[in-house]
Amino acid sequence: MARHVPPRPDPGDDSAYAALKARIIARTGHHYYIDKDELLIERLRRRFRATAIADCAAYGALLADRSRGEAEWACLEAEITVGETFFFRYAEQFQALRQTILPALIAARSHDRTLRIWSAGCSTGAEPYSLAILVREALGDALPDWRIAILGTDISVEALATARAAEYGRWALRTMPPEERLRYFTRLPPAPGIRREGGYALRPEFRALVRFERGNLLNLIEPKTPPGEGYDLILCRNVLIYFEAETVAAVVRGLGRRLRPDGWLLLGHAEPNPTFSGFLDPVSLPGTVAYRRLADAVQPPAPRPLPPAAEPE
């Protein structure tokens, strides 16, 4: 039986496509596409149509152009990154945050009243905004006495623009009971696109706790990059699936270096790896596993749990 050869996105030769694919993987780290030519080609075709370019060689030249290349890279990165997300995704981890992790951090930080949280690979912002909702509810009336910094980073400029707008369709809020939607959001009138049936704008008091920056997780691998001030909590979920195993280990090691001594790291359910135990301490929590810095790992105190979340619809 003849080997199936996926269709190329242009009439150019295979070497131009191979070179373009290699550049994309090297820049983004998305090893996910190494054996998914048909998917990558489909997404490249969209950019070819948008830029009126006919082949891979010409598109490669556009990416290398000093005046237009970076803008096109931003469009391409948005195209090849799967940005599907929703509020309070992975209920088990948010239950662990509500019952164990945030109460422990609040108790540990009660002397300086600061919390630094990083949502790495935040896509359109549902994850860091979900954290803002939890933090605000956990602190209650004490919130004005605290300095809260929640950072969301992503490689996609398009996703970050959506995150900063903080406006979402019903699908992004699908696990929220109606009363919670009204508590955290205001209704928006119908509009084209995701708001055909109306949408939801996050209330300002939650938006104010979060800021967004463009960031590439591959920068964590750079040995010369100083860790900077540590984070109390880092979430990096559903991003590592794009990377090859060696890159995953290097990125997670970099995330661990950016934790404060008693900080916490949460990964996606499919992303934990036994090799992480060489530099992180896994902590079993109901329904999930969290990580602490190995040398400084301590058992969390027995904090008072936060009120339970309402059941999803």
Side-chain angles (χ1 to χ4, degrees), residues 91-114:
E92 298 89 349
Q93 289 193 337
F94 275 96
Q95 192 74 351
L97 285 163
R98 180 184 294 272
Q99 293 191 331
T100 302
I101 296 174
L102 282 177
L105 285 174
I106 289 170
R109 303 289 179 263
S110 59
H111 60 289
D112 59 7
R113 298 186 179 183
T114 64

Side-chain angles (χ1 to χ4, degrees), residues 220-221 240 243-257 267 271 273-276 279-280:
L220 290 168
I221 301 173
L240 302 178
F243 301 149
E244 59 183 337
E246 184 177 343
T247 303
V248 168
V251 168
V252 173
R253 187 184 295 272
L255 292 170
R257 287 198 301 266
L267 305 175
E271 294 165 331
N273 187 304
T275 63
F276 298 167
F279 48 88
L280 291 171

Side-chain angles (χ1 to χ4, degrees), residues 113-130:
R113 298 186 179 183
T114 64
L115 274 180
R116 300 187 76 245
I117 299 173
W118 179 17
S119 171
C122 69
S123 186
T124 53
E127 180 176 276
Y129 285 140
S130 297

Side-chain angles (χ1 to χ4, degrees), residues 232-295:
D232 301 294
L233 170 64
I234 299 175
L235 280 76
C236 184
R237 309 186 304 166
N238 307 304
V239 183
L240 302 178
I241 56 172
Y242 289 112
F243 301 149
E244 59 183 337
E246 184 177 343
T247 303
V248 168
V251 168
V252 173
R253 187 184 295 272
L255 292 170
R257 287 198 301 266
R258 282 155 178 79
L259 285 173
R260 291 182 67 177
D262 51 357
W264 297 78
L265 170 65
L266 284 174
L267 305 175
H269 283 332
E271 294 165 331
N273 187 304
T275 63
F276 298 167
S277 62
F279 48 88
L280 291 171
D281 184 40
V283 179
S284 293
L285 298 173
T288 192
V289 174
Y291 292 90
R292 323 285 307 262
R293 273 175 48 173
L294 185 62

Side-chain angles (χ1 to χ4, degrees), residues 13 29 50 86 89-90 106 114 128 155 162 189 193 207 238 275 285 297 302 307:
D13 61 28
F86 55 92
R89 188 177 188 181
Y90 295 141
I106 289 170
T114 64
I155 196 173
T162 300
R207 293 180 61 177
N238 307 304
T275 63
L285 298 173

Side-chain angles (χ1 to χ4, degrees), residues 184-212:
Y184 307 141
F185 297 84
T186 56
R187 288 300 307 268
L188 296 170
I194 63 171
R195 283 175 48 194
R196 288 191 303 271
E197 300 178 359
Y200 297 83
L202 188 68
R203 293 183 182 276
E205 59 266 31
F206 304 110
R207 293 180 61 177
L209 300 180
V210 184
R211 67 182 178 89
F212 295 96

